[in-house]
Amino acid sequence: MRPEAGPPGPRARARPTRGSNRAALVTAVAILVLGVVGAVLVVVLDRTGSTRTAANSAESVAAPPSFGASVPISTPARAGSAAATETSADAQLDDPTSAAEVLAAAQTAIETVDSYDYRHLARDRAAGNAVSTGGFRERYDAALRALATTAGGTKTVQHAVVQKIALTALSSNTAGVLAFGRLDITTAADPAGSTRDLASGVTLHRTDGGWRISDTNDLVDHGDFVATPPGNAALVDAMTAGAHEVVNLLSYSRANFAADFDRAQAGVTGTLRAQQLAKRDSLFAAMTRSQSDFAGQVRAVGVESASGTSALLLVLATGYEVSASTGTQPLSGTERFEVGVELVDGRWLVSEYLALPSAS
């Protein structure tokens, strides 16, 4: 079970739960329990079909990019070219009806393929096959068949819960989602159960039966998921600004602390600005005591909702601590944020910055 390590820099503020919040998350596929020692191995049906242990965690995270590196959004030029004429335009999804359809289908499909019960694996496998397609379906089916030889002995039950989901791409036949959530797992050796984080980029393909999972990218400890924002130039601007501001809020050096803090403050608005300012002195004091700097890397971003001059984003990031004695060390494999962005005097600024808690 991976302990939660908070992001460097000023922490996110708590926010009242929105009535419109959608449950959602996604990740890749099954959990095999090795009965002899009761160790849990996550089986990730990613592009390579390879497996890895959840214990890989922090050391598998790539070194952070230089400060200000581009965020994983595939169309920054689109936002820049339109900025002169569309910075005041409402942020809109290209097709809100299709977006809602994709998000609902993705939630159902993810929870289906990531859940199973040793008492009825054949039924669970059939259900997962029904919401999958292509090479992913073949890998999923093989993984569930393999579970039949182990899950019965360990009496494993896994239940996936989708908590947050956001759209990263949408066309007539394909879509992408970024999803956060958890796996609740019980076994004969651990009847009280354990919980694991889920964070995944999922690609879906439209078939005659609707939207089905065609690929997954497990993001719990490493990797990224490039977004092609499914909306107008204003939405691209909003997503880009939100992702860059998360990098700013995670990145501070002692040598240039005043400039770094001012840069972060320039990207926030409302009560969040005052709350971040109140943490300025304590942040610098802590960095001085530990002789450490902080850096942040955004690895995925998606849009939960967009309405005129505001947008709600999901952002996946990794925070790093940098010191002369230890070098660059990831504080955790994954930090999950919900970020609210608002258009203020022609600029997209962050008004909400909520660190989502670890399921474990």
Side-chain angles (χ1 to χ4, degrees):
M1 185 178 298
R2 180 171 58 80
E4 180 185 18
R11 288 304 303 263
R13 68 182 178 92
R15 173 176 67 82
T17 301
R18 291 172 178 252
S20 61
N21 276 0
R22 291 184 297 273
L25 159 94
V26 53
T27 182
V29 110
I31 294 266
L32 279 171
V33 177
L34 306 182
V36 176
V37 295
V40 180
L41 176 66
V42 178
V43 178
V44 179
L45 298 184
D46 59 10
R47 290 184 178 87
T48 63
S50 63
T51 64
R52 67 171 180 81
T53 61
N56 282 352
S57 64
E59 66 268 20
S60 65
V61 180
S66 59
F67 184 81
S70 60
V71 297
I73 296 176
S74 65
T75 55
R78 176 182 172 191
S81 64
T85 58
E86 293 197 45
T87 50
S88 63
D90 288 348
Q92 300 290 341
L93 291 164
D94 288 331
D95 188 345
T97 300
S98 293
E101 178 186 350
V102 168
L103 292 173
Q107 175 179 336
T108 298
I110 293 162
E111 290 182 340
T112 299
V113 300
D114 281 336
S115 299
Y116 70 89
D117 188 320
Y118 73 96
R119 291 163 294 193
H120 39 71
L121 283 174
R123 185 195 71 183
D124 295 338
R125 178 168 55 85
N129 284 336
V131 297
S132 304
T133 190
F136 176 84
R137 185 181 186 278
E138 295 176 2
R139 297 193 298 273
Y140 169 82
D141 186 85
L144 265 289
R145 289 182 184 277
L147 281 175
T149 64
T150 58
T154 58
K155 294 182 170 54
T156 304
V157 177
Q158 176 174 296
H159 178 62
V161 179
V162 172
Q163 296 170 310
K164 297 284 181 182
I165 193 165
L167 199 64
T168 63
L170 179 62
S171 67
S172 59
N173 295 316
T174 61
V177 299
L178 172 64
F180 300 151
R182 71 176 194 268
L183 291 175
D184 298 325
I185 307 159
T186 60
T187 68
D190 184 17
S194 61
T195 300
R196 293 177 178 271
D197 288 335
L198 291 179
S200 187
V202 175
T203 303
L204 300 102
H205 185 77
R206 188 195 291 274
T207 69
D208 292 340
W211 291 98
R212 297 183 178 182
I213 296 177
S214 60
D215 202 2
T216 62
N217 188 353
D218 177 44
L219 302 171
V220 169
D221 296 319
H222 66 285
D224 55 32
F225 193 63
V226 176
T228 303
N232 64 359
L235 181 60
V236 179
D237 288 341
M239 292 180 68
T240 304
H244 273 302
E245 181 58 17
V246 170
V247 173
N248 291 343
L249 289 167
L250 293 174
S251 302
Y252 303 93
S253 66
R254 285 162 292 152
N256 299 296
F257 182 79
D260 292 346
F261 194 88
D262 288 346
R263 177 175 48 226
Q265 283 293 92
V268 299
T269 189
T271 58
L272 178 60
R273 182 178 177 84
Q275 291 170 349
Q276 298 295 95
L277 182 60
K279 300 175 183 178
R280 183 185 190 279
D281 292 343
S282 61
L283 172 62
F284 184 67
M287 293 172 64
T288 301
R289 285 194 302 271
S290 64
Q291 291 295 290
S292 298
D293 299 330
F294 294 129
Q297 177 185 13
V298 167
R299 299 193 282 118
V301 58
V303 56
E304 283 192 272
S305 62
S307 177
T309 58
S310 65
L312 188 63
L313 312 176
L314 290 186
V315 179
L316 182 82
T318 298
Y320 297 86
E321 185 174 17
V322 184
S323 72
S325 59
T326 63
T328 301
Q329 298 292 330
L331 294 175
S332 70
T334 297
E335 294 291 348
R336 305 179 300 176
F337 299 95
E338 191 167 43
V339 176
V341 188
E342 295 182 5
L343 189 64
V344 180
D345 296 329
R347 295 182 60 221
W348 289 99
L349 302 177
V350 170
S351 58
E352 300 181 34
Y353 175 59
L354 181 69
L356 301 174
S358 171
S360 56

